[in-house]
């Protein structure tokens, strides 16, 4: 029997994180972490799940758009899709009328990300492998066929990508064994939300140090004095050996993994994130004033589409030893292409569903590897941590071959709603997903959907009654 995609379901799932200040920053002041969730059903037991992350209002619009994109897969046999996932991705973005209201950006694009991710989840489950393992076990030729190259061949051609991947092929197994043993390096944002009190920031920072983390990120941009104070609170803890876990040896600030990161005496690194709040000149002046807290980089200092603005900020901050990172709101691979070509970023921050799914992510991983820019994915939202560990493993094992300077964001929120939640080991590193049936790790508990689906989930009904 040929297996076909028969129908799909979407769910608008919203969690009330605005009540506790989780996710707050200078631009986004009340975040209800939300999932525009899709399930692709076949005429077999196979089901593929995917989602796109939003922060509340508008999640219903994404769900409606997912229905238009997912309908393009109904009736399709899965094996021809899996044979060439790059072409399958091109099919998803090829509806000319939907494309008109992008093209390849905005709501249509993130809806496409949910659907493409669900298709990849279906593929991985059909092969009984976690997604990362499915991809790293591909031949270089198969991986190149799985990526999206339209509009980026002036930065990297399929032939160049194939050569890069072949150069890493012989040593993939050693890297896989190493990361399975050690875990993938992580940084923590959970202590640095803008809406937290100083006491909560200090408490969560101490807990993060005890958990083995040595990279930390805080939100900035609302008030300089407040940012300096909060940064100094975090620095006073992460730079003090007394807070390290028992028996923990400080990292060498001059070591190759930390060189150029403004690491403190214990080897701890602080990053700052403005979430697009400034104009270019304002960003330069503001970040210079935060030099005393020694940030490695400023993330999203200005509008995410402003490639030349990011390049100007990077040039101005370089003498101060502060880098520039962006990408969580980069619409598509073309924006990343230009950021890399313009020498505008020190760190490339892909998002698992702002880009239109795994196939487009692979394109950006390949470009970043060619330009020698480390990839540190964005994961500040529901489901994103579950997603991006797979992407970082693909990058390390099959594409860039390095994780020495890379760190993957970890936010300790809402993992309990997933069947296969991500986890962190005692070294402050992501554990490698190992369940052969988990696919892309994004399947949500039915009970969580029933409770938090908007507006008729049991939580929201009770909230409305209590209002």
């Amino acid at each position: 029997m040929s297996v076909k995609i028969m129908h799909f379901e979407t769910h608008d799932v919203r969690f009330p994180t605005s009540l506790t200040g989780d996710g707050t920053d200078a631009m986004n002041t009340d975040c209800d972490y939300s999932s525009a969730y899709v399930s692709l059903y076949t005429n077999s037991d196979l089901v593929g799940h995917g989602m796109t992350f939003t922060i509340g209002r508008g999640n219903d619009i994404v769900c409606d758009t997912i229905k238009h994109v997912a309908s393009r897969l109904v009736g399709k046999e899965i094996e021809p899709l899996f044979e060439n996932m790059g072409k399958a991705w091109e099919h998803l973005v090829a509806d000319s009328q939907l494309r008109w209201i992008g093209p390849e950006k905005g709501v249509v694009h993130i809806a496409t990300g949910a659907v493409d991710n669900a298709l990849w989840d279906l593929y991985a489950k059909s092969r009984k492998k976690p997604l990362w393992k499915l991809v790293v076990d591909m031949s270089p030729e198969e991986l190149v066929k799985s990526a999206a190259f339209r509009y980026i061949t002036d930065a990297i051609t399929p032939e160049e990508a194939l050569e890069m991947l072949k150069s890493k092929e012989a040593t993939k197994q050693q890297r896989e064994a190493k990361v399975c043993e050690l875990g993938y390096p992580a940084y923590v944002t959970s202590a640095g939300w803008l809406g937290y009190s100083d006491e909560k920031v200090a408490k969560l920072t101490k807990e993060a140090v005890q958990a083995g983390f040595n990279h930390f990120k805080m939100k900035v941009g609302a008030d300089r004095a407040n940012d300096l104070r909060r940064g100094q609170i975090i620095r006073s803890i992460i730079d003090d050996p007394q807070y390290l876990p028992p028996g923990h040896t400080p990292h060498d600030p001059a070591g190759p993994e930390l060189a150029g990161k403004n690491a403190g005496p214990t080897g701890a690194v602080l990053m700052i994130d403005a979430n697009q709040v400034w104009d270019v000149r304002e960003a330069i002046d503001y970040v210079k004033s935060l030099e005393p807290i020694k940030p490695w980089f400023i993330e999203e200092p200005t509008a995410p589409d402003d490639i030349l603005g990011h390049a100007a900020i990077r040039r101005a901050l370089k003498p101060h030893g502060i880098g520039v990172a962006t990408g969580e709101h980069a619409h598509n691979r073309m924006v990343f292409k230009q950021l890399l070509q313009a020498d505008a970023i020190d760190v490339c921050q892909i998002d698992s569903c702002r880009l239109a799914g795994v196939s487009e992510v692979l394109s950006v991983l390949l470009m970043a590897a060619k330009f020698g820019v480390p990839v540190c994915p964005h994961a500040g939202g529901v489901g994103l941590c579950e997603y991006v560990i797979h992407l970082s493993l693909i990058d390390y094992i099959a594409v860039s071959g390095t994780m020495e300077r890379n760190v993957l964001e970890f936010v300790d929120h809402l993992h309990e709603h997933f069947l296969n939640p991500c986890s962190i080991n005692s070294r402050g590193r992501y554990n490698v997903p190992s369940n052969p049936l988990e696919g892309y790790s994004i399947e949500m508990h039915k009970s969580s959907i029933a409770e938090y689906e908007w507006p008729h989930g049991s939580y929201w009904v009770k909230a409305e009654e209590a209002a």
Side-chain angles (χ1 to χ4, degrees):
M1 180 185 75
S2 64
V3 179
K4 296 182 180 180
I5 297 169
M6 304 303 292
H7 68 280
F8 59 85
E9 291 180 0
T10 63
H11 297 279
D12 177 352
V13 185
R14 307 187 193 186
F15 300 96
T17 49
S18 60
L19 298 179
T20 52
D22 299 342
T24 49
D25 56 59
M27 184 65 78
N28 307 294
T29 54
D30 63 335
C31 307
D32 283 329
Y33 278 0
S34 302
S35 168
Y37 189 79
V38 60
S39 300
L40 302 176
Y41 290 88
T42 68
N43 57 342
S44 72
D45 293 336
L46 283 171
V47 183
H49 304 281
M51 58 152 279
T52 280
F53 167 66
T54 79
I55 60 169
R57 287 182 295 278
N59 202 53
D60 51 334
I61 300 171
V62 182
C63 286
D64 286 342
T65 309
I66 285 172
K67 294 172 186 176
H68 291 285
V69 179
S71 66
R72 294 181 64 74
L73 296 178
V74 174
K76 297 286 186 183
E77 294 185 16
I78 62 173
E79 288 304 324
L81 294 171
F82 297 162
E83 186 179 335
N84 191 324
M85 288 294 279
K87 279 193 175 178
W89 186 88
E90 289 173 0
H91 174 71
L92 288 176
V93 301
D95 183 299
S96 62
Q97 293 184 8
L98 287 177
R99 179 181 167 75
W100 186 263
I101 56 173
E104 295 189 40
K105 55 181 171 286
V107 171
V108 175
H109 210 55
I110 63 175
T112 302
V115 178
D116 187 66
N117 287 339
L119 186 62
W120 276 96
D121 181 61
L122 192 67
Y123 187 6
K125 286 174 177 171
S126 75
R127 302 303 191 259
K128 294 182 169 55
K129 295 179 180 181
L131 178 92
W132 70 267
K133 181 65 172 165
L134 171 78
V135 178
V136 302
D137 283 350
M138 288 179 172
S139 68
E141 290 81 3
E142 289 172 324
L143 202 155
V144 167
K145 278 173 59 177
S146 298
F149 282 94
R150 191 177 197 179
Y151 303 137
I152 64 168
T153 54
D154 55 323
I156 188 168
T157 64
E159 293 75 21
E160 287 178 300
L162 184 62
E163 185 178 342
M164 283 172 43
L165 293 170
K166 284 183 174 179
S167 72
K168 301 290 191 300
E169 181 76 0
T171 50
K172 280 199 306 189
Q173 288 186 343
Q174 292 96 303
R175 287 191 295 278
E176 183 175 333
K178 180 179 178 181
V179 74
C180 285
E181 177 190 355
L182 297 177
Y184 194 91
Y187 74 84
V188 65
T189 303
S190 300
W193 300 120
L194 205 59
Y196 287 176
S197 67
D198 290 355
E199 292 75 19
K200 188 169 184 177
V201 168
K203 175 179 178 290
L204 293 176
T205 303
K206 289 173 184 176
E207 290 175 357
V209 173
Q210 283 291 307
F213 290 98
N214 78 309
H215 285 66
F216 308 82
K217 190 170 81 179
M218 61 173 275
K219 301 293 186 173
V220 299
D223 180 87
R224 291 181 202 232
N226 182 53
D227 291 341
L228 277 171
R229 187 188 71 256
R230 290 165 56 249
Q232 286 161 350
I233 290 170
I234 294 173
R235 270 288 177 201
S236 71
I237 295 166
I238 66 177
D239 289 347
D240 191 334
Q242 72 167 308
Y243 295 110
L244 294 174
H248 185 91
T249 305
H251 298 265
D252 179 7
E257 296 178 13
L258 297 174
K261 289 187 175 182
N262 277 332
T266 65
V269 176
L270 179 62
M271 299 96 85
I272 56 175
D273 182 359
N275 292 90
Q276 319 158 26
V277 76
W278 299 311
D279 283 1
V280 171
R281 292 184 184 277
E282 186 182 11
I284 293 167
D285 292 342
Y286 198 112
V287 177
K288 283 180 181 178
S289 73
L290 299 182
E291 190 174 354
I293 60 174
K294 299 186 297 182
W296 169 24
F297 62 64
I298 174 63
E299 178 180 341
E300 284 202 312
T302 193
D305 304 333
D306 189 355
I307 284 84
L308 297 182
H310 279 86
I313 293 167
R314 183 174 184 247
R315 286 193 301 270
L317 294 180
K318 197 164 188 176
H320 299 267
I322 302 172
V324 170
T326 200
E328 74 174 85
H329 281 84
H331 285 298
N332 50 41
R333 64 205 177 280
M334 291 79 81
V335 174
F336 281 105
K337 177 187 76 170
Q338 294 175 64
L339 287 166
L340 293 165
Q341 289 174 327
D343 290 326
I345 51 173
D346 299 274
V347 173
C348 174
Q349 292 179 303
I350 56 169
D351 182 279
S352 55
C353 45
R354 174 72 56 179
L355 291 170
V358 175
S359 289
E360 191 171 32
V361 166
L362 292 176
S363 304
V364 178
L365 295 181
L366 289 163
M367 285 191 291
K370 178 183 175 180
F371 282 81
V373 174
V375 176
C376 301
H378 167 247
V382 60
L384 301 190
C385 294
E386 280 69 28
Y387 264 153
V388 293
I389 178 56
H390 292 269
L391 305 177
S392 287
L393 290 169
I394 293 165
D395 179 48
Y396 170 53
I397 297 169
V399 182
S400 72
T402 180
M403 65 174 174
E404 278 63 40
R405 296 187 58 74
N406 305 51
V407 280
L408 169 54
E409 184 171 22
F410 176 74
V411 177
D412 195 12
H413 300 306
L414 307 173
H415 304 296
E416 67 274 13
H417 297 289
F418 295 92
L419 270 65
N420 296 283
C422 66
S423 61
I424 298 290
N425 65 27
S426 61
R427 301 183 183 95
R429 290 170 173 252
Y430 275 83
N431 290 311
V432 173
S434 58
N435 182 347
L437 302 179
E438 71 182 277
Y440 204 178
S441 305
I442 210 66
E443 184 173 356
M444 199 176 284
H445 288 290
K446 288 183 172 59
S447 58
S448 294
I449 295 174
E451 185 172 3
Y452 291 102
E453 185 156 16
W454 175 268
H456 301 302
S458 59
Y459 173 87
W460 294 110
V461 170
K462 290 177 185 175
E464 178 68 21
E465 291 172 349

